[in-house]
Amino acid sequence: MEALLFDFLKVTELAAIASKPWVGSGDKIAADDAATTAMRRQLNAMNMQGTIVIGEGEIDEAPMLYIGENVGTGRGGPAIDIAVDPIEGTTPTVNGQPNAITVIAAAPKGTLLHAPDMYMKKLAVGPRAKGKINIEASLEDNMIAVAKAQNKKISDLTVFIQQRPRHQEYIDEIRDIGANVHLFNDGDVIYATSTCMEDLNIDMFFGIGGAPEGVLGAVAVRCLGGEMQAKLIPRNETEIERCLEMGITNPNEALSHSQLVQTDECIFAATGITANLFLNGIKTGNGNYLTHSILVNGKDQQLHYIESMHQILETA
């Protein structure tokens, strides 16, 4: 796995570069297609036996990295589970707004949650509050536990939650308890990961969003020493059946961090498309692209910020 660390970084860098021309374009499909095509090309050049275990859903007419897709040369190399989002934040990408990244996570085969593209409730904290949270408990109980772990008053807690109608009751509850709610529009993975970056002073991430983003965030948080718990939210019998088909025998159970990602032998890479809390967006000039990325693996739990200059040659 560690031998492929910089290969996975290149996957996100090239996907971000491919999406750059579509920043501000308003064309979501073209942006997604560009990033997905670049990701697939690079993944298929890697000497591994990779499988997308959670991502864009089932195969259909649109190009995508779909659940169950095999990637890599297949000629030797490790067998790897991959979670992927070619563009986390397609809307901000095509609107020229902050909080767009390309992101990938990987771990040995059989160690990442294999689940449909569906809704998931998520709760994440940094290393100081690891072992103190319980997604089945009330928000108030979790906030009390996190405040104690952080040696803070409830009134000093900062909780990030996505600004969506489905979250209004949680937003009201957090404020009623006395903590500070910071809302964001896009960037689920960004804000889950940011709980583990002490300089950002984010105590908790909570909300309901996509399961692929949940697994991606879980890998990042594990790599950085924090904790994430989650719970799938099936909306109908079809989603329940898909869970059962994919080996999830109880789709309604709370998922511990070790059920989301079972090993410290995991990799997380993300490259900024537009600027966000901890990454700069792509900068261009003189035919060059300057990318800003993070790269981390669970074994050393060290966060690496990487700037790379890419010269893109025009082809006829």
Side-chain angles (χ1 to χ4, degrees):
M1 286 288 297
E2 289 184 67
L4 295 173
L5 205 58
F6 285 93
D7 294 285
F8 280 111
L9 173 64
K10 191 173 182 182
V11 171
T12 61
E13 289 177 336
L14 294 180
I17 289 168
S19 67
K20 173 63 176 173
W22 305 102
V23 173
S25 69
D27 193 337
K28 287 186 177 183
I29 293 175
D32 267 332
D33 285 354
T36 300
T37 299
M39 270 199 168
R40 177 180 283 114
R41 184 184 301 119
Q42 177 59 23
L43 285 168
N44 281 330
M46 292 170 61
N47 189 31
M48 65 173 178
Q49 302 167 66
T51 303
I52 309 298
V53 296
I54 190 162
E56 301 273 357
E58 315 312 319
I59 188 169
D60 64 11
E61 296 177 2
M64 62 172 62
L65 285 156
Y66 59 88
I67 295 171
E69 180 175 353
N70 295 319
V71 292
T73 64
R75 299 189 299 271
I80 295 175
D81 284 352
I82 297 170
V84 63
D85 195 347
I87 299 182
E88 156 76 332
T90 309
T91 296
T93 296
V94 301
N95 287 339
Q97 298 169 328
N99 287 350
I101 61 174
T102 60
V103 59
I104 197 164
K109 184 176 178 62
T111 60
L112 294 186
L113 179 71
H114 184 39
D117 185 359
M118 59 187 292
Y119 275 118
M120 173 186 274
K121 182 187 286 188
K122 313 161 202 178
L123 174 63
V125 293
R128 290 176 186 265
K130 182 179 179 180
K132 308 299 183 183
I133 58 172
N134 179 1
I135 200 165
E136 295 281 65
S138 67
L139 261 176
E140 182 172 10
D141 286 347
N142 278 298
M143 289 164 62
I144 291 169
V146 171
K148 184 176 180 181
Q150 298 277 38
N151 196 26
K152 291 183 175 183
K153 303 177 195 175
I154 289 285
S155 58
D156 293 328
L157 282 186
T158 300
V159 182
F160 270 71
I161 187 166
Q162 192 174 28
Q163 188 168 16
R164 294 290 187 270
R166 63 180 176 269
H167 290 151
Q168 192 58 52
E169 64 178 296
Y170 303 125
I171 294 167
D172 293 342
E173 182 180 355
I174 294 166
R175 285 177 172 157
D176 287 344
I177 294 165
N180 304 297
V181 176
H182 287 218
L183 301 176
F184 65 93
N185 284 319
D186 299 277
D188 198 312
V189 177
I190 292 167
Y191 289 95
T193 304
S194 66
T195 60
C196 298
M197 299 177 179
E198 201 155 307
D199 58 316
L200 297 177
N201 196 33
I202 298 173
D203 300 297
M204 182 187 297
F205 161 83
F206 178 79
I208 297 169
E213 291 82 1
V215 175
L216 286 160
V219 173
V221 169
R222 179 149 188 163
C223 284
L224 294 170
E227 182 178 6
M228 177 182 278
Q229 295 180 15
K231 192 172 183 178
L232 293 169
I233 305 176
R235 291 172 294 176
N236 49 51
E237 285 299 319
T238 300
E239 290 190 346
I240 291 173
E241 284 300 318
R242 284 294 296 133
C243 287
L244 295 173
E245 289 170 8
M246 296 170 79
I248 300 170
T249 56
N250 182 2
N252 296 303
E253 77 170 327
L255 298 168
S256 68
H257 206 169
S258 61
Q259 288 173 288
L260 296 168
V261 49
Q262 299 174 25
T263 177
D264 287 332
E265 193 181 351
C266 50
I267 292 169
F268 176 86
T271 299
I273 301 172
T274 60
N276 55 71
L277 271 179
F278 50 79
L279 287 174
N280 300 323
I282 296 179
K283 297 176 182 177
T284 59
N286 299 320
N288 295 320
Y289 291 75
L290 180 65
T291 58
H292 191 215
S293 308
I294 60 170
L295 180 64
V296 61
N297 74 77
K299 281 192 169 181
D300 63 25
Q301 294 193 350
Q302 291 183 337
L303 177 62
H304 302 276
Y305 286 94
I306 298 172
E307 279 193 340
S308 302
M309 184 68 75
H310 308 260
Q311 185 175 26
I312 307 301
L313 302 176
E314 298 291 336
T315 56

